[in-house]
Amino acid sequence: MTTIPGFESRRIPVADGVSLHVAVGGRGRPIVLLHGFPQTHLSWRHVAVDLAADHTVICPDLRGYGASDKPAHGYDKRTMAADIVAVAAALGHREFALAGHDRGALVAFRAGLDHPDKITHLTCLDVLPTVDMWDVLHGTAAAVGFHLYLMAQPPGLPEQLIAAAPDAFFGHFLDAWARDPAAIPPEIRAHYLKASRDAVPSIVADYRASATIDVEHDERDRGRQLQMPVTVLQQDWGFGGEERWRAWAPKLDHRTVGCGHFMAEEDPRLIADVLRA
């Protein structure tokens, strides 16, 4: 099973009939790192090795991704956040720092709202909360998010279309979103493509949840705030991401970065330094 060099691979039950593949390494105060789309825990490979010098580093494959189980249901971010709390508890950690990128950042955000007694520090890379993401997508500028609209459709058509040309579909995002293509070398790209090719229904289910129940959960929580220190790193998207994040996170450190979307791979030293700080 492919994992981060020097890390141990574990399978950890998180719910009835659902286990996650988790890479664990290092020793010290725990931090959990959650990957995005279309990736696996290997997206953290550089950062995780760096942080393992003085932290216990926990890198799961999210439910429905990589080597984790892919049940038919349970892709709302509330359930996926509960998975992560269960992983940490199984490893003996009642509290932990949490960082997420892309889809993993949406899970991390929900974990911060639902489990404030468990999350000591929260970092989100290159996303907005789900309800805010849909609010800012307007007109032709929303074309960049075509996949959001495709995978929001009822079960059947999105899965069929994506499964017909999975490498072209998932590879498009690896190419379009990376400012430094060398950051994702051929063997890692091949791993991501195979993992995604093998997970089309569950990846679509994850995105479909973000157009349905995740929005409902965020809407109900408008006015609630994250109580822990929150760091957000984003590319310059050309609109007020900081203001939208500050409505949720009064203890916010918001930074604009110059690398591409795959931050932990394109500038791992920056990300490791930010997390360690």
Side-chain angles (χ1 to χ4, degrees), residues 35-38 100-107 125-127 177 207 261:
H35 67 85
F37 162 90
H101 169 246
D102 188 80
R103 309 303 296 171
L106 300 180
V107 176
L125 305 183
D126 219 31
V127 296
W177 291 349
Y207 273 86
H261 177 65

Side-chain angles (χ1 to χ4, degrees), residues 29-271:
R29 294 175 63 190
I31 181 167
V32 178
L33 307 177
L34 305 180
H35 67 85
F37 162 90
Q39 299 172 291
T40 70
H41 76 283
L42 283 186
S43 66
W44 290 103
R45 61 196 180 278
H46 305 305
V47 173
V49 169
D50 188 330
L51 292 178
D54 44 23
H55 290 278
T56 298
V57 184
I58 302 163
C59 301
D61 284 338
L62 294 170
R63 172 187 293 240
Y65 288 80
S68 289
D69 287 345
K70 302 169 180 64
H73 305 289
Y75 294 98
D76 60 285
K77 302 309 161 290
R78 173 158 286 157
T79 298
M80 294 175 77
D83 288 347
I84 303 310
V85 171
V87 163
L91 293 171
H93 304 296
R94 192 185 72 81
E95 296 181 332
F96 55 96
L98 180 60
H101 169 246
D102 188 80
R103 309 303 296 171
L106 300 180
V107 176
F109 170 73
R110 177 45 59 185
L113 287 174
D114 286 0
H115 306 277
D117 58 326
K118 304 288 194 301
I119 314 302
T120 62
H121 303 76
L122 179 65
T123 299
C124 293
L125 305 183
D126 219 31
V127 296
L128 288 174
T130 299
V131 70
D132 295 286
M133 173 192 69
W134 290 111
D135 283 349
V136 303
L137 291 173
H138 297 294
T140 57
V144 69
F146 78 94
H147 60 301
L148 301 174
Y149 296 92
L150 171 62
M151 290 191 274
Q153 304 309 309
L157 182 62
E159 293 88 344
Q160 183 178 354
L161 292 176
I162 295 168
D167 287 5
F169 181 76
F170 296 114
H172 163 79
F173 301 101
L174 295 173
D175 295 335
W177 291 349
R179 217 167 268 187
D180 176 15
I184 303 177
E187 66 275 14
I188 297 295
R189 179 188 176 90
H191 165 78
Y192 290 158
L193 291 178
K194 182 182 187 309
S196 299
R197 192 164 61 240
D198 293 344
V200 170
S202 52
I203 290 174
V204 174
D206 168 32
Y207 273 86
R208 185 176 289 118
S210 284
T212 52
I213 191 168
D214 292 342
V215 176
E216 295 174 19
H217 289 162
D218 282 8
E219 287 283 9
R220 288 178 202 156
D221 281 334
R222 279 195 191 271
R224 288 185 62 199
Q225 292 186 317
L226 296 160
Q227 298 306 307
M228 69 289 297
V230 176
T231 299
V232 173
L233 274 61
Q234 289 184 297
Q235 298 179 87
D236 184 0
W237 290 3
F239 59 84
E242 180 174 0
E243 291 76 10
R244 288 185 174 271
W245 267 108
R246 196 167 296 281
W248 294 97
K251 301 175 186 176
L252 178 68
D253 177 8
H254 187 282
R255 310 184 194 186
T256 302
V257 300
C259 57
H261 177 65
F262 301 111
M263 296 176 182
E265 293 170 286
E266 297 190 60
D267 199 342
R269 176 60 61 84
L270 169 66
I271 303 306

